[in-house]
Amino acid sequence: MSKKTRSIVIVALTLFLGVILPISALAATSKSGTTYYYTCMNGQKDGVYSMEMKGNKLIIKGTFAKSSSSDQAFEKYVNGKTMKYKKTTFVLAKNCKFYAIGGEDGKVSYSRKTFKESYVTQPDLGLGLLIREKNGKVVEIHTES
């Protein structure tokens, strides 16, 4: 399966799961200082090209959709309304939470170490990536199958 076909399949699955497992409860108002970034971990420049974690910083080269709600960020990404490809550094809050969403287990929490070992080292897994940033620091990261 080509990378392009795989990316299309992943986006379609993510859209389907977004209908089944809505994360609209994460939606925030612009007054809250919360921003959501959505992208696809596809190893290409139209998603996450590469990732690395250094201390409390997550450095991602890629393209994101950005919004004040998780649903809008996802919709923007699907519709191609993304930020320009660039290197973006996210500062992780000390109590940043990591979740995997989808599959038989639903929403599963995991550690920062697991995130680094399982996802940062493999930016081409084809998963959706939702980052919730509040007041300049990342408070939650969701990987979505």
Side-chain angles (χ1 to χ4, degrees), residues 78-137:
V78 170
N79 293 320
K81 296 178 181 175
T82 59
M83 299 164 40
K84 193 176 190 180
Y85 172 82
K86 66 179 183 174
K87 178 171 132 178
T88 305
T89 301
F90 294 97
V91 177
L92 304 178
K94 186 175 183 177
N95 59 347
C96 183
K97 306 288 185 201
F98 301 88
Y99 299 100
I101 299 176
E104 294 178 10
D105 296 330
K107 185 176 179 180
V108 177
S109 177
Y110 53 92
S111 69
R112 185 181 297 231
K113 181 179 178 184
T114 300
F115 176 75
K116 184 175 182 178
E117 292 172 353
S118 301
Y119 299 102
V120 172
T121 59
Q122 301 177 70
D124 61 348
L125 293 172
L127 301 173
L129 182 69
L130 178 68
I131 297 172
R132 179 178 170 220
E133 183 181 72
K134 187 167 186 174
N135 299 322
K137 292 194 176 184

Side-chain angles (χ1 to χ4, degrees), residues 16-24 101-103 106-107 144-145:
F16 176 71
L17 287 173
V19 171
I20 293 174
L21 301 168
I23 53 178
S24 59
I101 299 176
K107 185 176 179 180
E144 303 173 336
S145 58

Side-chain angles (χ1 to χ4, degrees), residues 40-92:
C40 183
M41 296 173 60
N42 59 10
Q44 299 175 24
K45 292 185 177 185
D46 64 344
V48 174
Y49 184 71
S50 68
M51 280 197 285
E52 64 181 303
M53 189 181 273
K54 292 182 178 179
N56 71 334
K57 294 185 175 150
L58 177 63
I59 303 152
I60 300 177
K61 288 183 183 174
T63 303
F64 295 92
K66 178 181 175 181
S67 183
S68 61
S69 85
S70 59
D71 292 337
Q72 287 177 354
F74 175 76
E75 289 296 324
K76 283 183 174 182
Y77 182 81
V78 170
N79 293 320
K81 296 178 181 175
T82 59
M83 299 164 40
K84 193 176 190 180
Y85 172 82
K86 66 179 183 174
K87 178 171 132 178
T88 305
T89 301
F90 294 97
V91 177
L92 304 178

